[in-house]
């Protein structure tokens, strides 16, 4: 850090080529890709670990990595996926879809990748502001940590905050929830139970809410558990006698409202405890001796800001399985919307899911926030309409957009141009050289 002070009271850390804010799957992949491409890269992460929702959020499983025929989320995404699942004895080595996540293994995977590529990392460093330069570019992001306030300056920034914090504070246009009603997808605070009887859990329980015989249908109507009002109950083995839960819904949590998220954290912990008690009662063979080990330290926000980009990926593109000349990846995940309107359900029911081998492209334009010249988007805040956001928000896609954003950031720095001025075929060539998949 140099000795200058910013506006008389904030330290300055300059000399960075690329600063990535947020170390979830999007931000980690971006930081690794930027450093790999030769940029002096700093990753700022608010919590004490990389991985975002896959680690601090305790999401217990990866969404599918295959399109039903082959793995399509490749490059850094595939590396993270394969390394994190290696050594998980309960996971079939060949399994590509709905593979469970051991959050500690995933934290180490991200740590190792970041270190191998020479990314500088600051944990417990939360960015809470943006300083603009006169020409409409971002001059610095302002972060707080145990060293006080620091302005981190870079040539190019990448927004990996999930919620598009940096883009929004820099003045980007965005949408949040349904344009007319403001409705948001439901949030969930994930949690982990240990001391579960593995035999009964695997052989006798059919807990998922889609299973008509699941006890959750009775639990949701049981007045003893008012916290559990619907049948959302996804879970998976994450280790010996240990089951990770993505269960319970919190309605209308606005991720940009700290008071709302704080209240939801408290209610989420109540819901997790209610699930423990309910499962002990309804599935005693499997959960009679279970212990609630932990709830997540990150609120499970399914829907945050959708930043307006040079290109907005639309439901029409999704349904048409559209390919793009500037695409940087492919996606085949379904439109997964928690708490959808009747209108949305009708579209989804009519469209059905992709058949094996089908996918759509993700254009580079959806990573470029309109009006801002030295910022790239990655992860779940990329430019997409509300329906398509339901699909592209999941972790394999976030890793892919992260790798593209980080690679583009480094290439722009080397060429001394804005990311949107990059030659798309040069970017795609670089990504392909590193193993990315697209048409
Ligand atoms: C309940 C739930 C269940 C899900 N289930 C699945 C699933 O089964 N499989 C799947 O693949 N995906 C699932 N998803 C989707 C997926 O986990 C997320 O959408 C994805 O992790 C988003 O990645 P990201 O990198 O954009 O952001 P995140 O994973 O949210 O990471 C953002 C990171 O940035 C940090 N950060 C945020 N703001 C700041 C700031 N201002 N300063 C510094 N640091 C900051 C956060 O601490 C965090 O580490 C689920 C999501 C939720 C909410």
């Amino acid at each position: 850090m140099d000795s200058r002070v910013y506006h008389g009271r904030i330290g300055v850390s300059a000399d960075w080529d690329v600063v990535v804010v947020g170390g979830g799957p999007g931000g980690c992949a971006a930081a690794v890709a930027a450093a790999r491409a030769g940029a002096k890269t700093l990753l700022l992460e608010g919590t004490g670990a990389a991985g975002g929702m896959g680690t601090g959020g305790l999401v217990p499983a990866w969404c599918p990595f295959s399109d039903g025929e082959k793995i399509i989320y490749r490059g850094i995404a595939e590396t993270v996926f394969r390394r994190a699942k290696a050594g998980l004895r309960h996971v079939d080595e060949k399994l590509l879809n709905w593979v469970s996540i051991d959050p500690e293994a995933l934290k180490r995977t991200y740590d190792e990748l970041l270190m191998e590529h020479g990314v500088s990392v600051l944990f417990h460093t939360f960015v809470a502001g943006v300083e603009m330069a006169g020409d409409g570019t971002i001059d610095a992001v302002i972060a707080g940590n145990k060293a006080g306030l620091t302005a981190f300056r870079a040539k190019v920034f990448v927004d990996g905050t999930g919620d598009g914090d940096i883009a929004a504070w820099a003045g980007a246009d965005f949408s949040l929830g349904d344009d007319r009603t403001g409705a948001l997808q439901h949030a969930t605070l994930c949690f982990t139970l240990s001391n579960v009887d593995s035999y009964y859990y695997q052989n006798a329980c059919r807990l998922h809410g889609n299973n008509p015989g699941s006890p959750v249908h009775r639990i949701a109507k049981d007045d003893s558990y008012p916290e559990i009002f619907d049948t959302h109950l996804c879970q998976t083995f994450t280790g010996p006698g240990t089951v990770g839960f993505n269960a319970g819904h919190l309605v209308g949590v606005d991720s940009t409202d700290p008071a709302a998220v704080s209240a939801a954290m408290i209610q989420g912990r109540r819901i997790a405890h209610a699930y423990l008690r309910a499962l002990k009662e309804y599935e005693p063979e499997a959960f009679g001796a279970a212990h609630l080990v932990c709830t997540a330290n990150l609120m499970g926000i399914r829907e945050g800001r959708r930043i307006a980009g040079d290109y907005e990926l639309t439901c029409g593109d999704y349904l048409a399985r559209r390919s793009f000349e500037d695409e940087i990846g492919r996606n085949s995940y379904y439109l997964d919307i928690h708490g959808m309107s009747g209108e949305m359900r009708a579209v989804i029911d009519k469209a059905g899911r992709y058949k094996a081998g089908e996918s759509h492209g993700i254009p580079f334009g959806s990573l470029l926030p309109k009006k801002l010249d030295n910022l790239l988007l990655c992860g779940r805040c990329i430019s997409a309409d509300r329906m398509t956001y339901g699909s592209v928000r999941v972790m394999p896609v976030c890793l892919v957009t992260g790798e593209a954003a980080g690679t583009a950031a480094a290439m722009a720095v080397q060429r001394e141009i804005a990311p949107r001025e990059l030659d798309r075929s040069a970017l795609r060539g670089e990504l392909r050289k590193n193993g990315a998949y697209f048409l």
Side-chain angles (χ1 to χ4, degrees):
M1 190 182 297
D2 71 22
S3 56
R4 283 178 297 157
V5 283
Y6 214 80
H7 290 194
R9 60 192 168 82
I10 303 175
V12 176
S13 173
D15 302 332
W16 298 104
D17 290 329
V18 176
V19 166
V20 179
V21 185
C28 278
V32 167
R36 181 183 63 191
K40 190 177 171 206
T41 305
L42 174 67
L43 174 66
L44 302 174
E45 165 55 42
T47 69
M53 281 307 298
T55 58
L58 291 180
V59 165
W62 294 105
C63 283
F65 266 74
S66 92
D67 64 0
E69 289 178 349
K70 60 191 172 302
I71 188 158
I72 59 165
Y73 308 92
R74 299 190 196 162
I76 292 171
E78 183 172 357
T79 303
V80 169
F81 173 66
R82 292 202 187 278
R83 285 195 191 183
K85 79 169 177 156
L88 300 191
R89 297 212 177 131
H90 59 289
V91 175
D92 180 339
E93 214 181 299
K94 295 202 188 81
L95 193 66
L96 294 177
N97 300 337
W98 298 112
V99 169
S100 76
I101 296 174
D102 171 344
E104 288 305 318
L106 185 54
K107 281 179 198 168
R108 288 195 303 278
T109 298
Y110 283 122
D111 284 348
E112 283 162 17
L113 260 183
L114 291 164
M115 296 304 102
E116 277 166 26
H117 289 86
V119 176
S120 297
V121 179
L122 286 179
F123 288 128
H124 298 302
T125 300
F126 197 86
V127 172
V130 168
E131 279 286 334
M132 299 303 288
D135 61 356
T137 56
I138 296 176
D139 178 42
V141 292
I142 314 292
N145 59 18
K146 292 293 272 185
L149 291 176
T150 304
F152 293 92
R153 307 179 80 184
K155 292 171 185 140
V156 176
F157 296 84
V158 179
D159 190 335
T161 61
D163 291 318
D165 291 350
I166 308 307
W169 296 334
D173 295 330
F174 63 85
S175 310
L176 183 58
D178 184 277
D179 287 342
R180 277 173 292 140
T181 63
L184 292 159
Q185 287 199 47
H186 303 330
T188 294
L189 191 69
C190 296
F191 58 94
T192 305
L193 299 185
S194 69
N195 210 27
V196 176
D197 186 300
S198 306
Y199 178 82
Y200 278 100
Y201 174 70
Q202 281 188 302
N203 297 301
C205 291
R206 295 287 176 267
L207 295 185
H208 196 288
N210 288 349
N211 171 14
S214 168
V216 76
H217 296 282
R218 282 172 287 139
I219 294 170
K221 291 188 191 131
D222 187 334
D223 292 341
S224 309
Y225 307 106
E227 301 86 352
I228 304 170
F229 58 84
D230 70 5
T231 59
H232 173 237
L233 179 49
C234 303
Q235 18 62 55
T236 184
F237 248 133
T238 55
T242 309
V243 179
F245 283 78
N246 163 8
H249 278 147
L250 292 145
V251 179
V253 183
D254 175 353
S255 59
T256 65
D257 176 352
V261 174
S262 300
M265 291 298 291
I266 292 168
Q267 181 62 9
R269 290 192 274 269
R270 281 200 199 104
I271 293 173
H273 192 243
Y275 266 109
L276 174 71
R277 288 182 283 118
L279 290 171
K280 275 178 188 284
E281 181 186 338
Y282 281 83
E283 291 285 354
E285 292 93 345
F287 294 97
H291 174 66
L292 176 57
V293 191
C294 61
T295 51
N297 65 345
L298 282 175
M299 172 47 62
I301 295 293
R302 290 195 177 79
E303 184 167 10
R305 296 187 191 94
R306 307 186 318 275
I307 304 297
D310 284 6
Y311 187 84
E312 183 187 74
L313 196 58
T314 66
C315 189
D317 297 330
Y318 182 92
L319 297 176
R321 285 82 168 147
R322 185 166 171 200
S323 298
F324 297 87
E325 277 184 9
D326 67 340
E327 69 183 44
I328 46 78
R330 304 284 299 177
N331 170 47
S332 61
Y333 188 58
Y334 66 95
L335 299 166
D336 181 359
I337 299 163
H338 291 235
M340 64 181 110
S341 64
E343 217 176 314
M344 292 171 113
R345 183 174 294 284
V347 173
I348 289 172
D349 287 350
K350 186 164 174 228
R353 294 198 185 177
Y354 280 8
K355 295 196 186 68
E358 292 183 337
S359 59
H360 70 86
I362 304 166
F364 180 54
S366 64
L367 313 188
L368 296 167
K370 272 187 198 163
K371 301 191 289 197
L372 295 169
D373 265 346
N374 65 339
L375 180 68
L376 285 139
L377 308 168
C378 67
R380 70 175 160 82
C381 66
I382 66 168
S383 184
D385 68 15
R386 192 160 180 247
M387 289 288 285
T388 318
Y389 180 94
S391 170
V392 297
R393 69 185 174 85
V394 299
M395 290 189 285
V397 195
C398 293
L399 285 160
V400 163
T401 55
E403 179 166 5
T407 305
M411 290 175 72
V413 168
Q414 278 151 11
R415 290 161 171 73
E416 299 185 355
I417 55 173
R420 67 168 44 79
E421 288 164 10
L422 273 176
D423 173 1
R424 306 304 197 254
S425 57
L427 171 63
R428 281 160 48 87
E430 184 67 14
L431 289 169
R432 226 191 274 278
K433 189 186 87 191
N434 287 307
Y437 171 75
F438 43 79
L439 301 185

